[in-house]
């Protein structure tokens, strides 16, 4: 079983690359951002709660995010593996994920960190915001707040996964297919 975490700041290309890796390795792709947006669209109670945080570019509280993620994993018992995209984003989430996977007899294989400079990421997100309709992509102040959230709460996960020898840095700048090839090179070498 291959269980991958796609790690990186907003705009790093996690969703784009997840779509390729999902096909290549026959994995189930779980994006917590997509799940929250689905809840918002469906006007569920969880969607209403999440929206107030997402609109500001703040992280949604850990426990609701963890519960949603675990439910999604449990709903895919036939999966050959998972790509976690945008999760975990805090140490509490990472610990909860490890414990949860352990109980299921599963484990994270690798955390793949896509790296690119902030200015490039802002350009990408503003461009995406022109077509995605995502209000959190249309306002540079909200984008910068998402980076602040990342630096404060998500960046420490690098050390968390490095301590497990599971952290791989991938240059996230270049053509989409070049970046996919860099990711595949790492995944193909996983034991
Ligand atoms: P994304 O689509 O991954 O950029 O996520 C969009 C927004 O959803 C984030 O800015 C957060 O408000 C929320 N979100 C997504 N994943 C998480 C998570 N793992 N923990 C907390 N909030 C999240």
């Amino acid at each position: 079983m291959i269980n991958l975490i796609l790690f990186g700041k907003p705009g790093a290309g996690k969703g784009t690359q997840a779509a390729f890796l999902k096909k290549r390795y026959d994995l189930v792709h779980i994006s917590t951002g997509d799940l929250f947006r689905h809840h918002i669209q469906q006007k569920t109670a969880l969607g209403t709660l999440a929206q107030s945080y997402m609109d500001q570019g703040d992280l949604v509280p850990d426990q609701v995010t963890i519960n949603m993620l675990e439910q999604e994993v449990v709903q895919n018992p036939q999966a050959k593996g998972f790509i976690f995209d945008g999760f975990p984003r805090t140490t509490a989430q990472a610990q909860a994920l490890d414990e949860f996977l352990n109980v299921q007899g599963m484990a994270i294989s690798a955390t793949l960190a896509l790296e690119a400079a902030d200015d490039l990421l802002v350009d990408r997100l503003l461009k995406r915001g022109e077509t995605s309709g995502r209000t959190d992509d249309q306002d540079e102040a909200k984008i910068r707040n998402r980076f602040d959230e990342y630096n404060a709460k998500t960046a420490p996960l690098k050390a968390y996964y490095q301590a497990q020898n599971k952290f791989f840095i991938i240059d996230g700048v270049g053509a989409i297919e070049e970046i996919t090839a860099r990711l595949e090179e790492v995944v193909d070498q996983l034991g």
Side-chain angles (χ1 to χ4, degrees):
M1 198 174 197
I2 304 175
N3 296 305
L4 304 172
I5 293 171
L6 274 179
F7 193 77
K9 286 184 182 170
K14 301 186 294 293
T16 303
Q17 294 300 333
F20 290 105
L21 295 178
K22 169 193 154 123
K23 271 198 216 145
R24 171 78 166 76
Y25 299 102
D26 195 13
L27 305 174
V28 173
H29 173 205
I30 301 181
S31 155
T32 41
D34 285 351
L35 289 173
F36 283 133
R37 281 184 287 277
H38 185 71
H39 275 278
I40 291 171
Q41 211 181 23
Q42 300 296 311
K43 299 194 183 344
T44 68
L46 176 56
T48 307
L49 180 132
Q51 186 160 26
S52 58
Y53 295 94
M54 291 170 77
D55 278 348
Q56 302 306 315
D58 292 336
L59 293 186
V60 178
D62 281 333
Q63 204 51 55
V64 286
T65 308
I66 291 165
N67 291 348
M68 179 179 75
L69 185 283
E70 292 184 355
Q71 211 180 329
E72 202 62 23
V73 172
V74 167
Q75 279 170 6
N76 286 281
Q78 308 299 337
K80 292 191 180 159
F82 293 90
I83 302 178
F84 301 107
D85 160 10
F87 184 97
R89 265 175 154 103
T90 64
T91 303
Q93 291 180 15
Q95 287 167 342
L97 180 63
D98 273 348
E99 281 165 30
F100 170 74
L101 291 180
N102 190 31
V103 169
Q104 313 284 320
M106 296 157 59
I108 292 301
S109 313
T111 296
L112 309 170
L114 291 166
E115 290 201 343
D118 282 8
D119 287 347
L120 176 67
L121 297 177
V122 173
D123 287 348
R124 283 185 188 171
L125 290 169
L126 289 171
K127 201 154 183 224
R128 180 170 80 182
E130 288 170 13
T131 52
S132 70
R134 282 182 57 172
T135 51
D136 60 345
D137 283 345
Q138 291 167 354
D139 176 340
E140 188 164 341
K142 286 182 188 173
I143 291 173
R144 296 276 176 197
N145 185 49
R146 285 155 71 196
F147 289 174
D148 289 345
E149 284 280 82
Y150 176 93
N151 291 330
K153 299 175 183 169
T154 309
L157 293 184
K158 177 176 178 174
Y160 181 91
Y161 288 108
Q162 273 176 335
Q164 301 186 12
N165 288 320
K166 289 180 180 171
F167 196 81
F168 299 86
I169 294 172
I170 285 104
D171 180 2
V173 183
I176 289 175
E177 57 273 20
E178 282 170 3
I179 299 167
T180 308
R182 288 174 202 151
L183 289 162
E184 288 177 352
E185 200 181 322
V186 174
V187 177
D188 287 341
Q189 283 171 10
L190 294 173

